[in-house]
Amino acid sequence: MRKIDDRTLTPAQKQKILEKYENTCGYCFGIAEEVDHILPWSYLHDDTEDNLIASCWLCNIIASNKVFDSFLLKQEYIQAKRYYFEK
């Protein structure tokens, strides 16, 4: 039986997402080395391709498990927070 916190994202799925976005972060357009859940795993438990985006480590940390009304709002929030980290 699968536990509720078991993630199903495989290394092959991660590689597929990174290739789909050409290793470009969907939030800041820098180099992506991670995959982020658009709607957080803790909220939706969804590892489908439609809910995954390539992300750099900093944007992934900033995104955390916050839920937004739209992807654009999430992207704007992350970009605004990056400003403080990059100062």
Side-chain angles (χ1 to χ4, degrees), residues 17 29 43 47 58 68 79 82:
I17 298 300
F29 311 108
Y43 178 75
D47 279 334
L58 181 56
F68 297 85
Q79 288 176 354
R82 279 187 66 90

Side-chain angles (χ1 to χ4, degrees), residues 5 7-10 15 17 23 28 34 37 40 42 45-46 49-50 52-53 55 59 64 66 68 70 73-74 87:
D5 62 346
R7 296 184 186 224
T8 59
L9 187 64
T10 66
Q15 188 60 37
I17 298 300
N23 292 79
C28 73
E34 298 185 13
H37 291 81
S42 60
H45 296 233
D46 179 10
E49 190 173 329
D50 290 343
L52 300 172
I53 189 166
S55 176
C59 288
S64 183
K66 296 171 187 66
F68 297 85
S70 71
L73 289 174
K74 183 174 186 175
K87 277 178 122 181

Side-chain angles (χ1 to χ4, degrees), residues 2-87:
R2 196 179 127 181
K3 293 186 307 186
I4 193 93
D5 62 346
D6 284 348
R7 296 184 186 224
T8 59
L9 187 64
T10 66
Q13 286 174 301
K14 178 180 176 180
Q15 188 60 37
K16 182 179 179 182
I17 298 300
L18 290 172
E19 289 173 1
K20 176 181 175 180
Y21 289 93
E22 298 177 350
N23 292 79
T24 301
C25 178
Y27 303 117
C28 73
F29 311 108
I31 297 171
E33 59 276 323
E34 298 185 13
V35 172
D36 183 43
H37 291 81
I38 296 169
L39 285 172
W41 168 262
S42 60
Y43 178 75
L44 196 57
H45 296 233
D46 179 10
D47 279 334
T48 61
E49 190 173 329
D50 290 343
N51 191 42
L52 300 172
I53 189 166
S55 176
C56 70
W57 68 272
L58 181 56
C59 288
N60 200 359
I61 289 170
I62 293 169
S64 183
N65 66 342
K66 296 171 187 66
V67 177
F68 297 85
D69 289 335
S70 71
F71 177 77
L72 183 60
L73 289 174
K74 183 174 186 175
Q75 187 180 49
E76 289 173 350
Y77 171 84
I78 291 169
Q79 288 176 354
K81 290 290 184 182
R82 279 187 66 90
Y83 173 78
Y84 295 105
F85 282 97
E86 293 173 342
K87 277 178 122 181

